[in-house]
Amino acid sequence: MDAVQDEAAGKRARGLDRAFEILDFLRQKRQALKPNEIAAQIGAPRSSVYELVNLLLSNGILEFTGGEGRVYLGRKLYFLGAAYENHFDFTRECETTLEHLADETRETAQFCMLDGNRYTVVRMREGARPFRISTDVGQSVPIPWTASGRLLVAHLSDQEILNFIPPQDFRLPGGEWLEPQTFIAEVRQAEREGLFTFNSIVDSFTHCFAVPVRGEEGHAAATLCLVTPRDDGIANRDRYLGCLKKAAARLEHAPARPKRS
Amino acid sequence: MDAVQDEAAGKRARGLDRAFEILDFLRQKRQALKPNEIAAQIGAPRSSVYELVNLLLSNGILEFTGGEGRVYLGRKLYFLGAAYENHFDFTRECETTLEHLADETRETAQFCMLDGNRYTVVRMREGARPFRISTDVGQSVPIPWTASGRLLVAHLSDQEILNFIPPQDFRLPGGEWLEPQTFIAEVRQAEREGLFTFNSIVDSFTHCFAVPVRGEEGHAAATLCLVTPRDDGIANRDRYLGCLKKAAARLEHAPARPKRS
DNA sequence: ATCATATGTACATTATATTGGACGTTGATG
DNA sequence: CATCAACGTCCAATATAATGTACATATGAT
């Protein structure tokens, strides 16, 4: 999400942006890497990356792990993330809601949010017959690839949507091009109906159901999803959507706590 | 913890350091603050703080919340923290261990680590008769104030300990001065015995027990603690220490997972 | 009305952070 | 042995980020 302004060639990058680019990259890779590898793969000057990595190491934002000078996200980030989680205390309710959903439907239930201008699965509960889910928890994925994506950008105007989503994200995993106007039409439809369902674009055997979890501003702060085998999904469509709606309503009425419990 | 090198007066602060100083400060405060307040309280130039806050906002590291332009830690930090937690997957084992400990002893059990050069409670499980615990989860506290602190720095040499702990942290909450040499003697004793217990320095009615959880390098990567009423603690000393040792051993044999489960 | 405080914005200055490139390893390969 | 690639360090040059200062607005007290 940071490499958006790659346009100007000769510009220097700001240290802070580079730093978070490194952190995001490590998160995507989900493994420790050498500074050299990081530099090569994000296309940043090696000297800059070494400098930043050392700074981040000395702050506990990064840690040596995996040997050979490899680094990964550090403990400090865990503490900061825990503070966020504690403040916007959605996880407890979220976990029980997903559990309930998965029990009711025997399908895989997910809680999803935007991660910058992409989509990510924040929590997941496997269903009764777990199958290989296409997107793992914590991976960020182009918004147009997902059912939830239609709901998560619905509060934006057409133009804002086009500005928000990186153009290359309309290229689907199979290589086909999703016309932005088609996507926007689906967004508007999802907005009207308060839900979106489709046969997954990412694989060829699942059906996805998504409903919004509305925040204080009234727009979708998150989504609840079910990922099902296609036959199952189509057969149980109405029941599954009912379960999702009910679960979303429960989450909405458990607002962010102001302070400690 | 970052304002250590306040020595040189006329020096400019590096953006990255200031940024993480802001993040750490918000974590300590555990509430949303206006940029102006942040600047005043951390003693940084207002223009710098506004600049950094805006940068961090646009990256999702900070978020507007609480109205009136107040900001707090953002969702991106949660994602990064979750990635850390997923990589060094200690939390699951940790949670069950604390639960077991609290059930066995009916006392408050804690899992503690270093946060930079201070101490913090990472996870806590209240005992049967919860009383007002002096340090909350996520707050960072001077190392010399805690029993665990004696264990967490035991792998350092005397000189390294003195360099590592901010000098002002030897000033105890009551105002008394803890002689660094006294502290170091206690560290060495804790190291020999593989445990440390004392009547809490922070309050006047609890007794603390701490044992190390050793990481791969052999030194205390974390501690397990019990916080008990003084009478109880002294009466059950041997049993409690036995429980702690057993729990620590269990945690040590559930090492950090390399990748996904 | 006057003053003081809290808050956010705008901009020029200059200290310095980012960067490209040189240099020195090491290890693998022909 | 010669060559190449991967890796880390060092350093000078300059683009720019951090800062001080001034400005604008709102609020409340006197």
Side-chain angles (χ1 to χ4, degrees), chain B residues 103-116:
Chain B
D103 286 352
E104 263 182 331
T105 64
R106 322 287 294 165
E107 307 285 2
T108 295
Q110 302 179 324
F111 179 79
C112 311
M113 299 179 99
L114 288 183
D115 167 27

Side-chain angles (χ1 to χ4, degrees), chain A:
Chain A
M1 68 150 303
D2 314 66
V4 179
Q5 58 277 46
D6 251 338
E7 38 225 351
K11 307 290 289 180
R12 283 191 184 183
R14 190 180 275 243
L16 248 187
D17 291 333
R18 277 262 196 261
F20 283 107
E21 199 180 346
I22 291 172
L23 299 183
D24 256 340
F25 181 69
L26 287 172
R27 170 159 85 94
Q28 284 301 317
K29 286 292 181 183
R30 301 194 100 68
Q31 58 175 311
L33 292 170
K34 300 182 196 180
N36 214 14
E37 298 172 311
I38 299 175
Q41 298 187 49
I42 69 177
R46 290 190 314 135
S47 43
S48 305
V49 172
Y50 275 102
E51 163 109 15
L52 287 171
V53 164
N54 284 328
L55 264 179
L56 295 170
L57 280 170
S58 70
N59 278 332
I61 312 293
L62 289 180
E63 284 175 14
F64 281 118
T65 176
E68 318 228 357
R70 270 181 274 260
V71 297
Y72 193 64
L73 307 177
R75 189 184 300 173
K76 177 80 78 188
L77 286 171
Y78 171 74
F79 291 143
L80 291 169
Y84 174 90
E85 187 176 358
N86 191 275
H87 190 73
F88 306 102
D89 192 2
F90 58 84
T91 36
R92 186 165 304 273
E93 270 305 316
C94 176
E95 213 64 64
T96 63
T97 299
L98 286 182
E99 196 160 331
H100 188 68
L101 256 180
D103 285 350
E104 262 182 332
T105 64
R106 322 288 292 163
E107 307 286 1
T108 295
Q110 302 179 325
F111 179 78
C112 310
M113 297 179 100
L114 288 183
D115 167 28
N117 54 11
R118 311 192 81 189
Y119 151 101
T120 197
V121 179
V122 178
R123 303 261 162 177
M124 174 163 75
R125 174 75 189 227
E126 297 268 358
R129 37 173 162 17
F131 50 102
R132 185 94 309 272
I133 284 290
S134 23
T135 66
D136 288 315
V137 170
Q139 293 290 2
S140 57
V141 172
I143 292 172
W145 295 12
T146 70
S148 299
R150 273 74 180 164
L151 293 161
L152 291 170
V153 299
H155 61 289
L156 301 175
S157 73
D158 290 11
Q159 190 54 54
E160 285 172 330
I161 291 176
L162 294 178
N163 294 339
F164 184 63
I165 299 180
Q168 66 272 24
D169 282 4
F170 288 102
R171 179 74 56 194
L172 302 184
E176 321 94 88
W177 177 254
L178 173 62
E179 203 53 53
Q181 287 311 323
T182 310
F183 174 75
I184 288 180
E186 291 176 354
V187 170
R188 295 307 163 213
Q189 174 200 334
E191 190 177 18
R192 277 195 311 275
E193 301 181 354
L195 60 90
F196 193 82
T197 76
F198 70 173
N199 284 329
S200 171
I201 302 181
V202 184
D203 62 56
S204 58
F205 49 91
T206 62
H207 194 77
C208 304
F209 299 81
V211 303
V213 180
R214 296 184 199 282
E216 299 169 11
E217 307 87 348
H219 58 247
T223 62
L224 283 173
C225 314
L226 287 174
V227 184
T228 79
R230 294 200 170 166
D231 300 343
D232 276 23
I234 287 158
N236 295 285
R237 178 182 172 88
D238 290 343
R239 186 166 73 83
Y240 283 0
L241 283 173
C243 295
L244 279 172
K245 293 261 180 199
K246 201 149 42 77
R250 258 189 32 187
L251 273 185
E252 284 167 7
H253 297 140
R257 263 8 95 66
K259 287 297 291 294
R260 65 194 68 261
S261 68

